[in-house]
Amino acid sequence: MQLAIFWIFSVLMLLFAGLVVVMRNPVASALSLVMCFICLAGLYFTLDAFFIGIIQILVYAGAVMVLFLFIIMLLNLKEEVARRLKLSAFFGGGLVLCGFVYAMVKAVINLPEVWQTAPKLETGGISDVARIGFKLFETYNMPLQIVGVILLVATIGVVFLSSRQLR
Amino acid sequence: MDIANFAEASATLGHYLIVSGLLFGIGLMAVLLRRNIIILFMGVEMMLNAANLSLVAFSRFHPVGGGPAVDSQVFLFFIITVAAAEVAIGLAIIVALYRAKQTMHVEDLDSLRF
Amino acid sequence: MNPILLEAVLVCYAFLLLLVEAFNSRMPRRYFGWAAVVGTTVVFFMTFFVDSSKMNPEAGYYGFYAADTLAILFKRFILLVSVCVLIMAIEFAPVLVRYLPVEKPDAGSGEMYSLVLFACAGMMWMASAQNFVMIFVSVELVTITFYVMVAMMRGNRASLEAGIKFLILGAIATSLNVYGIAWIFGTLGTTELPEIGAILQSIDSSLFPSLLFGFGLIFAGISFKVAAFPFQFWVPDVYQGAPTPVTAFLSVGSKASAFVVLMRVLESMLSNSELSSKILFMLSLVAGVTILMGNLSAIPQTNFKRLLAYSSIAHAGYLLMGAASIVSGNSGPAIAYYLMAYLISNMLAFGVLLVVGKSTGSDELVHFNGLGKKSPWLATALTLAVLSLAGLPFTVGFFGKFFIFSSALQAQQFILVGIGILGIGCGFYYYLKVIRAMFWLPASKEQSISSPIEISKPYAVMLILLSISLIIFGVYPEPIFNLIP
Amino acid sequence: MSPLVFLILLLILTSIFCYLSPASARRTAFMGSALQLILFLSLLLIYLFRVEDGAEVFYGWKWELLPELGVVMGLGMDGFSAIMLLLATLVTFAAVWATPAPERSVGFYYGNLFLIAAGVVGAFASTDLLFFYLFHELALIPTFLMIGIWGTGDKHRVAWKVTIYLALASFVLLIGILGLYINLPEISRTFGMRELVDLANSGVLQTPDWVFVMLFLGFGALVSLFPFHTWAPGAYACAPSSVAMLHAGVLKKFGLYGLLRVVLPIFPHEMQEYGHVLLILILGNIFFVGYATMAQRRLDWMLGYSSVMHMGYIFLGIASAMVPFAGGGGSYYLNPLSLGGAGILMFAHGISIAILFALSGQLRRRTATLEFSELGGMGKTMPAFGLLMGMGTFASIGLPGFANFSGELLVFFGAFGSGGAQFLNFYQIATAIAVWGVVVSAIYGLRAYRWTCFGETPERWVGSNELVDLRGREKFAIWILVVFSLLVGFWPQGFLKLLIPALLAQ
């Protein structure tokens, strides 16, 4: 059953990911990406990472992609004029991709116990929100502070770059 | 294949890793082939999410103390946050560029040539 | 004093500046620049009083933060770079403001100073990062700050385009880095570098493909930061388009902190000789290609900023050559020394470039024609800078090359040394082009009319200090060398 | 502190003063060059009175820059370096006193000139291989600037070529030096020349072949050994005469000095092994370049080529300095005749080429051309010029009485006896061929002298007042050079007493 769900979600996810690349209209691409991320959240659920899955839907599919759509609408981007695909880019890209997939598959099949199903979890009733929260605010306190600074810098940057008139 | 077996069957680590690798590859293709800056961004987002999928899969298949390895899930939080910040900055620059130049195409970025 | 306070003080100070700047729109923005200089200098002196035994492992460090001598050395280094960059930014502010939609003549330059401070804090965290998570977040802090700073002149197309290019390639590098970290974590179950080193000592060789995959991706991400071969192509465009102080910061500070990360990652890998020999082979390949690429493409350049960009790629190649000879045992100090030399000479070069560019409105090499006549002091400073970059004796750059090449020879990297010699030959060609422009060629018509270049006093003091230290450490390298662990 | 430090500092300070105050630069340069010559001559006298023979290192001084790495700035003077320093200070003096000052940027001109001089003096005063190298490099950029700004003819291309060539060659050399350094065990790392030789003799320093190749290629290219000589003639022809004097006269001896001081004693086997190759290259230097010299139709180019050609004789002395013992067994001894000859010839060639370049510079200023076809009869209009030109030419082609003669003679004797007991061995054949080079140089030297100083004065200058004779101070400076050449020519044993012990002491 889990395998079936895995297949459904992953095939859908890859399909929508492919559509992002193929679609000419940016709005269609963005909507495909939303679907792709929702399927990805489904994959997280099959991995028992429910909190992460919810966050994925909220932050990515909800916030980030809305930002994308918002910008696309704001700039009133039309369907892309079909530009001639550079053959060199195509083959170069294909070569890079093949190399990457080869290295990745080689790395995967050499991992030990890679084709075994997941072990049973015994969480003892602690929800993963609690576990992640404790980890985040205790052990990972320092990176968390730095991430706070990152958000601050990003805010300054966005305000600076897009405010109409600087004071 | 009988029903009981089907109900029992579940995906392995290898399945997840290959799927995440393919997602990464599709993202890479988007970056390499498309010329629209916004689509390039979407490709990068796919690549980051592929990394996230690998992280979650690893955390589930190498449990620590009975539960999934939470370290990687915490790391995933950082990645999502950073990605969001990057998107915000990126879209701000794109809007500024669009105001200045009315283009969304990498090929039109040509003022820097020697 | 607890070393963790350094970054905390810096970030809080930057935040304070930002607040005052936001709520006090009457104060001239220049003052914030000087305030930032003072703050950075204070933190620089604070580094001499840190005591790493004061660190409390429970209070949120957990193996994220190292305050060893290497980290402290690089923190000082980065602070010095930031001071120079801030002074340059103050000088550059009028040019920056020209490209901004502003209400008042100097509005909008204030954010620059606090962003420099944030980037500086990020680099200092990078120098201390001991865990892949920490590396990731600190690198991202620096990168995201740079996205903003590169695109800062938002009325200038070149700057925006540079921002876009930097952003997209940087995002790709980030995702490669993250994917690599995910694989290392999945294979070894930890992200702490010392622990990884311990695990690698006794590891089964069947794990090598996945480890190599992971490390390869991580190195690809780092090579973006140091401007090395597979990810070097953003460098010329971004350097040319970005505001000059940001370019200087990018070429020195960002590169230096990325090299600390590289050294730490390499160090943790060295414990497994088989794995490290594979990675070092990869690294020497990258180093060789980077040296050739940087030097050969610098030859036809006519824009001085672009030339410096390619030369910075070339220098990344020499530094990687040092990293690839890490088995010789003394390449760590060699890299550190080289970076110091690079700091002094590159800052001097960008410093002169900034004022010449400001007064002529262009960074083209043609505008340096006749500088030797027009302002001999600036010409002398720039001559010293490019000679030091070329590695001529009695400048600090010579000892940098000296240490790097001797460690490479000791590690038996003969092919790499041969490529290095070739690169240095090319280097002489394009660095001499600058000297030729200043002293041989007469100034063009429009040039000779314009008045001599004016620079503010503090800026001149900075240039003089840099020039003097360039010569003094070129003759007497011991003071710098003693700082290096 | 050693007085040699003051000598170098004097030159550097003069240079800085010239840069800073262009108005009085000319006066500063005259004073500085005279002072450094006087200072060095007195140092030399003290040295002669105080030491037994040339082997002793006097005025030794060390500044430990990076003691744990063995990077030390060592200065000192033994017999060999004393002679090279004498050459350097003499030529520096003449380069300032006997050449015309430029019309514009006088301060910059003299500043650069003294920087070159400081590099030259510093190099020969170093007892330490690294600083020997570093001081030599000091001259690189001033040369580039001076040829490019004040040169003549195709100056930009030439300046470009010579600088890239020399920079690359010196970097190859640096790799060779580093090769010596890193092959030492960590505790005894040093760059001291004598220490390196001692360590090599005691077997501590084991070097692979590439170190020898790098050092040899580096030094060889800097001295313009045959296939790597193409940078030299043009550089000397196009450079302002003062730079040509310093560069051809003194700076080029840097490579020979290094070969004699370091390469020869550390790599006796390799020198012997590659000796045959070297001999062929030397014959290329003497004949190939010799014929090219004969084909020149301009005085400056002819002088440039001749200076490359004369390097062949000095190289012959170096190549034949290692003699295998008659009993065999792979051991060698140093041939004092060849060594002494090479040393004397280095001095002699430096003096004679400096005289000729000084005179050609003076001539160029008066006539604005150095084409032989447009010259002639200068000896009649400018008698002092003619006399000195004759002296220089005779010295250069090795007439008896001048230093070059004694040097060449010693080199030929030494080389002839170097091949061992076998009759008509390779060395003897090579020497027999090389002797004919003297004829070649006599042909072009005397021909050039005739074309310049004798015959009809071309119509343009008949009755013109441009051809004024040399001024007093110019004559004085050149005569000093001539006197020293004659001194060595008539009394070589005095110099050999300094030279040979210093070279054998290693």
Side-chain angles (χ1 to χ4, degrees):
Chain A
M1 194 57 200
Q2 201 259 5
L3 188 63
I5 299 173
F6 165 80
W7 278 124
I8 293 168
F9 278 131
S10 49
V11 167
L12 275 179
M13 182 186 76
L14 292 178
L15 191 76
F16 281 117
L19 280 180
V20 174
V21 187
V22 177
M23 284 293 186
R24 289 250 153 258
N25 191 332
V27 179
S29 283
L31 287 175
S32 312
L33 195 58
V34 172
M35 286 312 292
C36 172
F37 285 163
I38 289 175
C39 295
L40 185 61
L43 281 180
Y44 290 159
F45 293 144
T46 67
L47 284 165
D48 299 318
F50 300 103
F51 183 53
I52 298 290
I54 297 289
I55 291 288
Q56 171 79 12
I57 292 178
L58 283 180
V59 174
Y60 259 117
V64 172
M65 290 320 296
V66 167
L67 196 58
F68 265 104
L69 280 171
F70 188 71
I71 294 296
I72 294 171
M73 303 289 190
L74 179 79
L75 301 182
N76 196 15
L77 291 184
K78 296 280 161 30
E79 210 158 301
E80 194 174 335
V81 189
R83 298 201 179 195
R84 212 158 55 81
L85 199 60
K86 269 193 204 145
L87 230 66
S88 60
F90 194 73
F91 282 111
L95 210 66
V96 171
L97 191 69
C98 288
F100 173 79
V101 169
Y102 168 77
M104 191 260 304
V105 170
K106 200 175 156 203
V108 169
I109 58 178
N110 277 301
L111 275 179
E113 304 171 354
V114 72
W115 302 119
Q116 285 178 10
T117 51
K120 280 258 174 331
L121 292 181
E122 290 151 15
T123 52
I126 308 170
S127 70
D128 56 347
V129 181
R131 290 159 58 93
I132 290 172
F134 278 119
K135 202 78 178 176
L136 191 61
F137 290 107
E138 271 178 9
T139 317
Y140 285 84
N141 193 1
M142 183 157 192
L144 186 70
Q145 310 283 344
I146 300 178
V147 166
V149 181
I150 292 183
L151 288 178
L152 173 67
V153 167
T155 319
I156 301 170
V158 171
V159 170
F160 186 88
L161 288 171
S162 42
S163 72
R164 208 161 274 283
Q165 194 97 94
L166 293 165
R167 282 194 306 124
Chain B
M1 187 160 63
D2 56 282
I3 299 293
N5 216 347
F6 178 74
E8 290 284 297
S10 62
T12 62
L13 179 58
H15 285 94
Y16 283 102
L17 291 181
I18 300 260
V19 166
S20 103
L22 288 177
L23 184 59
F24 194 91
I26 293 173
L28 200 62
M29 276 324 259
V31 172
L32 292 174
L33 294 183
R34 293 299 294 265
R35 303 284 88 169
N36 188 321
I37 296 169
I38 290 203
I39 309 274
L40 293 193
F41 252 113
M42 295 184 188
V44 172
E45 291 304 313
M46 276 195 265
M47 285 159 81
L48 280 172
N49 275 287
N52 287 355
L53 180 56
S54 301
L55 274 174
V56 176
F58 278 125
S59 90
R60 175 65 184 86
F61 283 82
H62 300 300
V64 177
V70 189
D71 295 66
S72 69
Q73 301 198 2
V74 171
F75 185 34
L76 196 141
F77 267 94
F78 295 147
I79 296 173
I80 291 180
T81 320
V82 164
E86 226 162 51
V87 166
I89 298 270
L91 291 178
I93 299 179
I94 287 175
V95 171
L97 182 74
Y98 195 80
R99 276 189 196 148
K101 209 169 175 180
Q102 304 291 315
T103 187
M104 272 292 109
H105 285 277
V106 174
E107 280 144 15
D108 296 332
L109 304 181
D110 52 4
S111 349
L112 297 164
R113 285 281 173 274
F114 65 91
Chain C
M1 197 180 68
N2 193 330
I4 211 152
L5 277 176
L6 295 174
E7 288 89 354
V9 167
L10 199 62
V11 167
C12 292
Y13 188 67
F15 194 62
L16 190 76
L17 278 185
L18 206 61
L19 278 178
V20 175
E21 203 252 343
F23 291 108
N24 185 346
S25 57
R26 268 177 308 168
M27 199 185 280
R29 292 302 185 251
R30 206 172 59 244
Y31 292 178
F32 293 100
W34 290 115
V37 170
V38 170
T40 319
T41 319
V42 168
V43 176
F44 176 74
F45 286 111
M46 275 165 69
T47 59
F48 291 96
F49 302 102
V50 294
D51 178 10
S52 30
S53 63
K54 288 266 173 61
M55 280 202 331
N56 173 10
E58 294 299 309
Y61 311 144
Y62 293 101
F64 289 110
Y65 189 92
D68 47 8
T69 40
L70 182 74
I72 298 291
L73 173 74
F74 272 88
K75 281 177 207 286
R76 286 181 195 147
F77 178 89
I78 288 156
L79 285 164
L80 280 182
V81 176
S82 308
V83 171
C84 294
V85 168
L86 283 168
I87 297 176
M88 286 167 74
I90 297 167
E91 191 79 6
F92 192 74
V95 184
L96 176 72
V97 170
R98 208 180 298 157
Y99 294 105
L100 292 175
V102 287
E103 280 176 355
K104 283 212 312 289
D106 65 343
S109 58
E111 282 88 346
M112 181 83 161
Y113 309 126
S114 43
L115 282 179
V116 169
L117 291 190
F118 284 125
C120 172
M123 288 172 190
M124 285 164 73
W125 272 316
M126 268 168 93
S128 283
Q130 252 198 328
N131 183 316
F132 275 126
V133 176
M134 179 81 180
I135 289 176
F136 172 74
V137 288
S138 49
V139 166
E140 283 311 306
L141 172 55
V142 175
T143 316
I144 287 182
T145 319
F146 270 118
Y147 294 154
V148 181
M149 288 201 288
V150 167
M152 203 130 202
M153 299 195 287
R154 53 186 255 226
N156 181 341
R157 274 188 196 176
S159 175
L160 282 175
E161 283 183 21
I164 288 281
K165 283 183 183 169
F166 191 46
L167 182 68
I168 287 176
L169 288 163
I172 295 171
T174 302
S175 45
L176 289 178
N177 202 357
V178 169
Y179 203 58
I181 294 174
W183 269 91
I184 295 294
F185 172 80
T187 322
L188 301 176
T190 178
T191 49
E192 268 177 51
L193 288 175
E195 207 172 317
I196 287 175
I199 296 174
L200 283 180
Q201 261 168 9
S202 54
I203 202 163
D204 189 48
S205 68
S206 70
L207 284 178
F208 279 4
S210 56
L211 285 176
L212 280 174
F213 185 59
F215 276 127
L217 288 170
I218 289 174
F219 282 129
I222 295 179
S223 74
F224 170 80
K225 303 293 299 179
V226 301
F229 161 59
F231 282 99
Q232 96 291 15
F233 42 83
W234 59 276
V235 175
D237 287 354
V238 172
Y239 276 32
Q240 192 187 342
T244 309
V246 177
T247 313
F249 206 13
L250 201 56
S251 77
V252 183
S254 164
K255 187 171 293 198
S257 44
F259 260 97
V260 195
V261 170
L262 182 67
M263 293 306 283
R264 286 201 196 272
V265 174
L266 275 181
E267 204 181 332
S268 75
M269 269 173 21
L270 270 185
S271 52
N272 188 313
S273 60
E274 205 177 331
L275 193 68
S276 75
S277 70
K278 276 183 179 152
I279 297 260
L280 287 183
F281 174 74
M282 203 163 77
L283 212 57
S284 23
L285 209 68
V286 170
V289 178
T290 309
I291 292 175
L292 279 184
M293 204 89 141
N295 280 309
L296 291 178
S297 4
I299 287 179
Q301 300 307 323
T302 54
N303 183 305
F304 188 42
K305 225 165 158 186
R306 241 182 139 77
L307 193 149
L308 281 178
Y310 281 111
S311 104
S312 119
I313 298 176
H315 286 287
Y318 297 128
L319 284 162
L320 280 175
M321 183 165 127
S325 342
I326 199 164
V327 286
S328 74
N330 52 13
S331 76
I335 289 179
Y337 192 92
Y338 197 99
L339 279 170
M340 293 288 174
Y342 182 68
L343 154 79
I344 297 175
S345 18
N346 225 24
M347 276 295 160
L348 191 54
F350 274 112
V352 177
L353 167 69
L354 191 149
V355 281
V356 175
K358 191 177 152 193
S359 87
T360 61
S362 152
D363 307 322
E364 291 293 320
L365 214 46
V366 188
H367 288 95
F368 286 80
N369 284 3
L371 192 70
K373 274 255 156 53
K374 201 166 69 173
S375 27
W377 288 105
L378 279 180
T380 312
L382 188 54
T383 308
L384 286 175
V386 292
L387 291 184
S388 172
L389 286 173
L392 229 73
F394 298 112
T395 59
V396 66
F398 171 78
F399 276 105
K401 291 250 175 10
F402 175 84
F403 293 132
I404 289 275
F405 275 87
S406 68
S407 77
L409 281 175
Q410 220 164 351
Q412 311 270 322
Q413 296 268 21
F414 293 123
I415 298 173
L416 216 48
V417 169
I419 293 175
I421 294 177
L422 208 69
I424 281 178
C426 300
F428 267 105
Y429 181 80
Y430 58 79
Y431 290 127
L432 285 180
K433 241 167 55 169
V434 182
I435 299 181
R436 173 186 70 168
M438 288 189 297
F439 291 105
W440 287 6
L441 304 176
S444 56
K445 274 270 161 55
E446 73 219 72
Q447 275 283 298
S448 45
I449 301 166
S450 76
S451 52
I453 295 172
E454 278 178 24
I455 39 178
S456 65
K457 280 226 174 63
Y459 198 77
V461 169
M462 181 189 87
L463 290 185
I464 289 170
L465 280 181
L466 284 172
S467 313
I468 289 177
S469 55
L470 190 144
I471 292 180
I472 286 183
F473 296 131
V475 180
Y476 185 55
E478 201 179 3
I480 293 188
F481 205 77
N482 282 346
L483 290 177
I484 297 167
Chain D
M1 204 184 262
S2 151
L4 291 174
V5 180
F6 296 123
L7 187 62
I8 298 169
L9 276 183
L10 174 66
L11 288 164
I12 291 181
L13 285 181
T14 316
S15 156
I16 292 175
F17 275 123
C18 290
Y19 280 130
L20 290 184
S21 66
S24 61
R26 219 169 120 78
R27 218 166 337 128
T28 319
F30 279 118
M31 298 237 306
S33 60
L35 261 180
Q36 57 98 25
L37 183 61
I38 293 167
L39 176 61
F40 179 72
L41 285 179
S42 42
L43 289 184
L44 185 65
L45 277 181
I46 297 173
Y47 177 75
L48 290 177
F49 280 114
R50 293 284 291 275
V51 298
E52 291 283 305
D53 61 9
E56 202 170 322
V57 180
F58 208 61
Y59 303 130
W61 181 71
K62 274 192 183 354
W63 182 19
E64 312 233 318
L65 291 169
L66 286 172
E68 63 269 42
L69 293 180
V71 175
V72 169
M73 179 174 178
L75 296 180
M77 181 165 114
D78 66 358
F80 189 23
S81 43
I83 287 184
M84 295 320 293
L85 284 173
L86 176 63
L87 174 67
T89 44
L90 276 174
V91 174
T92 305
F93 174 73
V96 175
W97 280 57
T99 56
E103 277 142 25
R104 57 197 172 87
S105 329
V106 184
F108 197 56
Y109 175 89
Y110 281 118
N112 283 330
L113 190 65
F114 274 92
L115 217 51
I116 300 180
V120 170
V121 169
F124 290 125
S126 295
T127 55
D128 178 279
L129 195 53
L130 186 67
F131 271 83
F132 173 60
Y133 168 84
L134 292 184
F135 275 117
H136 169 256
E137 288 284 276
L138 189 59
L140 192 66
I141 295 303
T143 314
F144 174 77
L145 289 174
M146 288 188 80
I147 297 180
I149 300 175
W150 292 282
T152 49
D154 197 1
K155 59 185 182 182
H156 285 174
R157 203 184 59 82
V158 161
W160 212 247
K161 182 176 176 184
V162 60
T163 312
I164 300 283
Y165 217 114
L166 291 185
L168 207 56
S170 27
F171 208 79
V172 168
L173 175 63
L174 180 65
I175 298 295
I177 294 174
L178 281 176
L180 286 178
Y181 172 74
I182 61 156
N183 278 302
L184 284 170
E186 200 120 355
I187 35 162
S188 53
R189 290 212 166 145
T190 176
F191 284 105
M193 296 197 216
R194 293 211 174 191
E195 286 90 331
L196 279 173
V197 174
D198 287 343
L199 288 169
N201 287 341
S202 59
V204 180
L205 173 59
Q206 302 280 351
T207 39
D209 257 4
W210 63 265
V211 178
F212 171 74
V213 174
M214 288 305 223
L215 283 174
F216 194 83
L217 280 182
F219 279 129
L222 292 179
V223 199
S224 64
L225 181 60
F226 167 54
F228 309 108
H229 68 277
T230 50
W231 60 269
Y236 300 149
C238 297
S241 53
S242 54
V243 173
M245 285 165 77
L246 270 173
H247 212 283
V250 199
L251 197 59
K252 208 157 68 159
K253 309 296 180 292
F254 166 85
L256 298 165
Y257 187 87
L259 284 172
L260 278 170
R261 263 275 141 91
V262 181
V263 180
L264 197 59
I266 294 184
F267 299 98
H269 299 271
E270 282 84 353
M271 280 305 275
Q272 192 70 19
E273 223 171 288
Y274 295 101
H276 295 183
V277 184
L278 184 55
L279 282 181
I280 290 170
L281 296 186
I282 288 167
L283 291 181
N285 248 28
I286 293 178
F287 285 98
F288 184 84
V289 181
Y291 285 118
T293 318
M294 287 211 288
Q296 298 307 314
R297 287 295 171 266
R298 281 176 61 94
L299 181 61
D300 45 3
W301 280 86
M302 188 223 90
L303 290 178
Y305 270 103
S306 87
S307 125
V308 176
M309 178 205 168
H310 283 116
M311 290 301 117
Y313 296 122
I314 310 180
F315 263 120
L316 185 62
I318 293 173
S320 59
M322 277 293 162
V323 189
F325 267 118
S331 53
Y332 304 89
Y333 69 94
L334 284 165
N335 181 349
L337 279 182
S338 305
L339 282 179
I344 293 272
L345 207 47
M346 279 160 74
F347 182 81
H349 173 259
I351 294 282
S352 62
I353 202 76
I355 296 173
L356 289 174
F357 270 122
L359 290 170
S360 80
Q362 291 292 352
L363 189 59
R364 173 155 47 207
R365 195 180 56 157
R366 287 167 174 74
T367 62
T369 178
L370 287 176
E371 295 278 350
F372 287 134
S373 57
E374 297 176 34
L375 296 174
M378 299 299 162
K380 239 178 295 175
T381 43
M382 302 188 286
F385 173 84
L387 176 63
L388 285 170
M389 183 83 184
M391 290 288 189
T393 311
F394 295 152
S396 160
I397 63 179
L399 229 61
F402 288 97
N404 305 51
F405 175 74
S406 33
E408 278 169 23
L409 208 62
L410 282 169
V411 164
F412 288 141
F413 283 164
F416 201 76
S418 263
Q422 187 199 353
F423 179 62
L424 267 189
N425 56 37
F426 205 75
Y427 280 90
Q428 293 176 345
I429 296 171
T431 313
I433 299 174
V435 169
W436 288 94
V438 176
V439 180
V440 175
S441 71
I443 291 173
Y444 65 66
L446 292 174
R447 213 165 52 171
Y449 185 36
R450 189 188 71 203
W451 281 336
T452 328
C453 292
F454 296 100
E456 292 279 301
T457 312
E459 301 230 337
R460 329 172 18 193
W461 284 299
V462 175
S464 93
N465 53 1
E466 278 171 36
L467 294 183
V468 278
D469 207 350
L470 298 181
R471 272 189 277 172
R473 94 179 128 73
E474 292 157 0
K475 273 189 282 191
F476 171 68
I478 298 175
W479 269 113
I480 285 188
L481 295 181
V482 174
V483 165
F484 269 93
S485 184
L486 288 169
L487 181 67
V488 180
F490 280 107
W491 188 55
Q493 59 271 38
F495 283 74
L496 288 175
K497 218 168 73 187
L498 285 177
L499 261 176
I500 293 180
L503 284 167
L504 290 181
Q506 300 165 353

